[in-house]
Each structure stands twice: as structure tokens, then as C-alpha cells.
Amino acid sequence: MKILKNNRGLTIPLVLVVLSIVTIFGFVTLSITSNQAKFNIIDNSSKKALEYAEAGYNQYLWYLNDELNFYSTAAHEDLMNKPIEFEEGYYVLDVTKPSDADRFVTIKSTGWTKENPTIKRTILAKIRKKQFVHHVYVSDDDGPNIWWTTGDESHGPLHTNKDIRIQNRPIFYDTVSYVNKLERGTGYNPDFKVQDPSQPMQTKKLEFPASNKNLKDWAEKDDMVFYGRTCIFLDGDTVKIRNQNSDEIITRSISKDIQNLVIYVDKVPDNDKSVKGGTGKFGIRSGNVFVSGNLKGKLTIGAEDSIYITYSDPTNWYDYDTSDMYNKNNKPNQPPTSFSWGGKNNRTYPEIGGVEYSNTWFSGNKNGTGTAMSSYDSEKKIYTRYSFDKNDSKKPGKDMLGLIANNEILILHYGWPKKAYDSDGKDDIWDFEWEWRNWGWWLSPDYKWGKVSKTYDMAPHDVTINAALFSVNEGFGYEEHGKGPRKGDIILWGNITQKERKAVGTIGSTGYNKKYAHDPRMFYDYPPHILEPINVGWEIHEWKEINE
């Protein structure tokens, strides 16, 4: 029997086996650790890429909250489709503005890290913010005795913050919404063209802002704030402005001189005693605006007081010279007392007037023909309206006007602005005409031109209004609507937002018929710095990650 003196021969192979196992295990562990590290780096880069994509979305939303129409600005274009550095990476924005076909803002944002630029993630969001101008008609209160009835038509979405009253058979070509209650009157049988059992729909209130003062901040940037009565004539891209009691008519180019596209008129401050005049309709110290003309481009006009829409150029005050009143052949200047009507001077008021667009027109028909204000679109399956560019009928027009008053917006009926020649500045209205006669008596004749009382009816037979109208604390209407002859139509393409509904005539005897239609572009494009509801934000219609 042999006895082993030591185990040296057995140990060496065993050590080698163990060493091999440890080495293999080390390599495996090292590989796993390395792969795990790589996976962690990739995973972290992917998470960061998503964060940076979301940062791009949030940044663009910030711009939209600052400027509702940001997607129509040059600053928007500067942000598109270029890497924007953010923390340890980048994002790229690609934003599609709303259109007739898609009324949402579509934001696509792609993010990645500097460390791993090939790992990218992209999000796509469709968002929309409720606006007053999405409707043809918005009222905070329709009043207790205002009914929608037979003969009334609403060519666009309609909303009231209180009760809606319907009797007989009015026609509603788009959605109808109210906050409090629907009151059904005599013969209730409305024609709702939107085939939805929810119509009319009870919904949430659109809160009115307290004033339009934020417009003043924008106007100040371009030195476009005026104090006191201001008359404005829109002549394409040119704006003519006559302020207070001045002889000067200021002219400005909208595209070159008014970069923020806002003009604001405020009252003369109470502590400024240098400006003489009153504060009434034509008062030189008032914050009232008188406006008419044809607009090329975009502009918003705000008034601390009221806005009056006139038939013609309100900067023409028919200034006169009284130095030669004894010359029968030199009658002083005055507004017209008769107007051409079908080639004849047989009317005491104008034929047409208002505010229109230079290069934009509207139709209820897709081909732009006819007089209908709405037509059925078989593709969209809704009644709709159309805007056309006069230079390219395949595109919607680009002109857009906002008229925003803290108080009333009225069609001017009586009187005309006038230069005040008196020392206290209160002879501010044309309420007389010149007459040649003997102002003395038979023993001491005094033949000369003198003033006799005259009421000028300056409201045209037909008024065209292309604009978004916003009366923050009162409403839109026809000044002294119950007086004077029956006239024609108010043809409005745009929007009316008002605190309370005002009248434009009395049935069959005075004032106007209403032909109001929504400007379809105002579902996605707006007058500059238009006022918004204070209780709404951007709503996400769709949010998803996409593969690029």
C-alpha cells in the first residue's frame, strides 16, 4: 500500500480549473456590466430626448400664450426646422398653423442629446383655444325681450352667456350654445342645420375681460396711442388720422410704420387742461373713434370710449372760412345734404358705407358666386362660408380688422365731426347748414351767409362691415335706431362680441335688416391682439409619440 506524501500534483490542476472558471465568469460579468452600461446610456439618452421634445412643445406653447397669432409671425418662422439648444441637447420644431381643413395648431417637436444625436424622439400635439371670434355672435346677456324669430338667420356659431330665447322658425346654420336656459316662445320650431340632437347646447361661460387696455400697451410700442377724439380713414395700406381739433391729417403705412398692428385712442387725461372741448359723442376730449374705409393687411383699432362706423372719410371735417361771408357766390363749406342715388340726387342720406377689405371677399358658395351667406359642404357635411383673395381666388384673403371699444360700437346716424372754431372747443358737431339771407331787418338789411339748424342723416342705406367687433361693456347697434326712415341691410362678415345685445332698427319702420355671417378664417386666424376669454386655456385635442 502506497502512502501519498503530499497533494501537490492534485492541487495544480484544480487551481487551473478554478482559475479558468473565475476568468470566464469575470469576462461574462464584464460583458454584462458593459452591456448594461451601454443600455443605461441609451435608455437615459432616450428619456432625455423625450424630455427635450416636450421642452420644445412647452416653449412654443409659451409663445402662443404671449401672442395668440404667433404662428403667423416672422418670429415663428425663425424657430422652424432648425436645432435649438436646450440643456445637454437639442429640439427641432415643425408647426402647422390651423386652416379650413384642420382648425387645430399642430406642433411636432423632435428632441435628442448631444451625447447620442442618433437617438431621437418625436411628439405630435394638436391644440386649440376657445375664442370669442370663433362665433359670428357672442353676447354676455341677450336682454329680457330679445328673441330669435322667423326671418332671423345665424350664419355661423352663436353663443350667449345667459338665456337664449327662440320663437317661431329662425334658421341657425351652425352651432348654438347658451349657459343658463333655453326659453321656448310662441310657435317654437327653429331650423337647426347642424344635425345634432344636442342642439342647442348648454355649455360653459366665456368670461369677458374687464377692458381693452392691454391694446394700449401694444400701440405704445409704435407711438400709435392718441388722446382725444380721433377720426381714422383706412385707405388700403395707408391710415389717415385726424386727432382732437387738429388741422393736420397724419398718414401712416400699416406695413411699414405700425409693426404691432394696433392703434389705440384714449381720453384726454383729466389733469390735462391744455386741450379744450367736451366729452360727448363728438367731444374733443373724448376717447371716441370714427372710422371707415378699405383695409389692406391686418389692423386692430381700440377705443377707451366708443367707436362709430361712418359712411365715408371721417377725417374730412368740411372745414370752412368765414372771412368772406358777404359774398353770395362764396358759400362756406359744409357736409352734403343730398346724395346720388341711382344716378339721381334724390336722397338725403348716403347710399353705401362702412369698413371693408381691399383684397378679401366672401361668399356662401365654394365657387364664389351668388348671394347666399352659407351653403352645404358635402365633404365636411356642414353649412359653411368661404373667403377669397381677390388676387388669387384659390386662397383665403389676408385682410383682417378688429374694432374693440370699451363702450358702444355704433353705425353713425346723426351729425358729423367738425373743427371747433370756438374758444372752449365745444362747437364740435355739424348740426347746421349755411343759408344766404337777410339777417338784419328791412330798414337795415344784412345779407350774408349764416347758420340755420340742420340734422344730417349720415347713415347709409346699406352698411358693409368686414371686421371683428367687440364691445366690452355695452353693445353693437344703430345709433337712435328708432328714428329716421327704413333703410337697407347691415352686411357683416366677421364677428360681433358684446356685453348686451342692442337694436339696429324697428320691424318694418326704421333702421336695418341684419345679414350677419361668420368670417370662416376666424376659426384659426385673428385680428392682431384680439381680446380673449379670461377663463380658457389651450386644450389638447391629440397627443402622441410618432416615429420619424
Side-chain angles (χ1 to χ4, degrees), residues 114-138:
K114 294 176 182 178
E115 185 179 10
N116 282 301
T118 59
I119 300 174
K120 296 180 179 180
R121 296 183 72 175
T122 300
I123 59 170
L124 185 143
K126 287 179 173 285
I127 62 174
R128 191 180 185 209
K129 192 175 187 181
K130 290 181 180 178
Q131 299 295 328
F132 294 116
V133 292
H134 289 166
H135 308 79
V136 66
Y137 176 90
V138 178

Side-chain angles (χ1 to χ4, degrees), residues 128-272:
R128 191 180 185 209
K129 192 175 187 181
K130 290 181 180 178
Q131 299 295 328
F132 294 116
V133 292
H134 289 166
H135 308 79
V136 66
Y137 176 90
V138 178
S139 70
D140 203 41
D141 187 355
D142 264 9
N145 298 310
I146 302 293
W147 291 82
W148 289 88
T149 188
T150 301
D152 289 339
E153 297 181 356
S154 175
H155 294 269
L158 180 153
H159 175 81
T160 179
N161 276 340
K162 289 190 178 177
D163 306 330
I164 188 167
R165 297 172 179 83
I166 302 174
Q167 63 184 9
N168 299 317
R169 194 164 176 78
I171 303 174
F172 300 97
Y173 285 90
D174 215 310
T175 58
V176 177
S177 58
Y178 62 95
V179 175
N180 287 355
K181 67 178 185 293
L182 164 65
E183 191 168 332
R184 296 173 170 86
T186 304
Y188 177 84
N189 185 29
D191 184 0
F192 292 110
K193 296 297 187 183
V194 175
Q195 298 300 311
D196 188 326
S198 68
Q199 288 296 303
M201 179 184 296
Q202 192 169 17
T203 186
K204 294 181 180 179
K205 187 175 184 178
L206 296 176
E207 292 281 359
F208 275 48
S211 77
N212 64 11
K213 278 292 189 183
N214 69 306
L215 295 175
K216 186 176 180 180
D217 297 334
W218 290 106
E220 283 177 337
K221 297 175 187 292
D222 297 312
D223 196 24
M224 282 287 114
V225 176
F226 298 88
Y227 293 90
R229 180 186 74 180
T230 303
C231 298
I232 299 173
F233 183 63
L234 306 172
D235 187 12
D237 180 60
T238 300
V239 181
K240 294 167 58 180
I241 302 170
R242 195 169 183 182
N243 179 236
Q244 295 183 7
N245 202 32
S246 176
D247 293 324
E248 180 187 9
I249 296 177
I250 301 167
T251 60
R252 294 287 185 272
S253 165
I254 297 172
S255 60
K256 295 178 182 178
D257 301 325
I258 313 177
Q259 294 184 5
N260 290 284
L261 305 176
V262 177
I263 298 172
Y264 193 83
V265 175
D266 206 342
K267 300 182 214 177
V268 175
D270 292 340
N271 60 0
D272 184 353

Side-chain angles (χ1 to χ4, degrees), residues 351-481:
E351 182 176 0
I352 57 174
V355 285
E356 301 183 53
Y357 296 142
S358 295
N359 293 325
T360 302
W361 59 289
F362 303 95
S363 175
N365 293 311
K366 198 169 187 177
N367 60 9
T369 61
T371 58
M373 300 188 88
S374 290
S375 64
Y376 188 73
D377 187 317
S378 58
E379 295 179 5
K380 299 178 182 177
K381 302 187 184 305
I382 58 172
Y383 280 83
T384 189
R385 296 144 296 281
Y386 302 90
S387 163
F388 302 93
D389 189 314
K390 290 181 180 179
N391 299 314
D392 185 352
S393 61
K394 295 181 180 180
K395 296 180 180 179
K398 298 178 181 178
D399 309 324
M400 194 167 284
L401 177 65
L403 298 177
I404 306 177
N406 277 334
N407 298 327
E408 298 173 305
I409 300 178
L410 298 173
I411 297 167
L412 179 67
H413 194 172
Y414 294 122
W416 194 255
K418 174 184 169 296
K419 182 174 177 60
Y421 292 96
D422 59 323
S423 59
D424 62 2
K426 294 185 178 179
D427 181 23
D428 53 26
I429 176 176
W430 273 103
D431 57 1
F432 65 89
E433 63 179 335
W434 299 109
E435 183 176 302
W436 177 265
R437 74 179 192 196
N438 181 10
W439 296 87
W441 60 304
W442 66 277
L443 287 177
S444 180
D446 184 20
Y447 285 92
K448 65 178 180 180
W449 291 104
K451 298 177 181 178
V452 294
S453 180
K454 168 70 177 177
T455 299
Y456 291 90
D457 182 348
M458 305 305 265
H461 182 74
D462 291 317
V463 182
T464 300
I465 300 174
N466 296 159
L469 309 180
F470 199 140
S471 173
V472 178
N473 296 309
E474 297 192 41
F476 165 72
Y478 176 38
E479 181 194 19
E480 298 192 54
H481 69 275

Side-chain angles (χ1 to χ4, degrees), residues 308-376:
Y308 294 86
I309 298 170
T310 68
Y311 91 94
S312 186
D313 182 358
T315 68
N316 181 4
W317 295 350
Y318 301 98
D319 299 340
Y320 56 87
D321 182 358
T322 58
S323 63
D324 194 14
M325 302 297 280
Y326 289 93
N327 183 350
K328 186 177 181 179
N329 297 319
N330 189 30
K331 182 179 179 179
N333 201 12
Q334 68 176 45
T337 56
S338 63
F339 297 85
S340 176
W341 193 273
K344 298 178 180 179
N345 293 331
N346 58 355
R347 293 282 189 180
T348 58
Y349 52 87
E351 182 176 0
I352 57 174
V355 285
E356 301 183 53
Y357 296 142
S358 295
N359 293 325
T360 302
W361 59 289
F362 303 95
S363 175
N365 293 311
K366 198 169 187 177
N367 60 9
T369 61
T371 58
M373 300 188 88
S374 290
S375 64
Y376 188 73

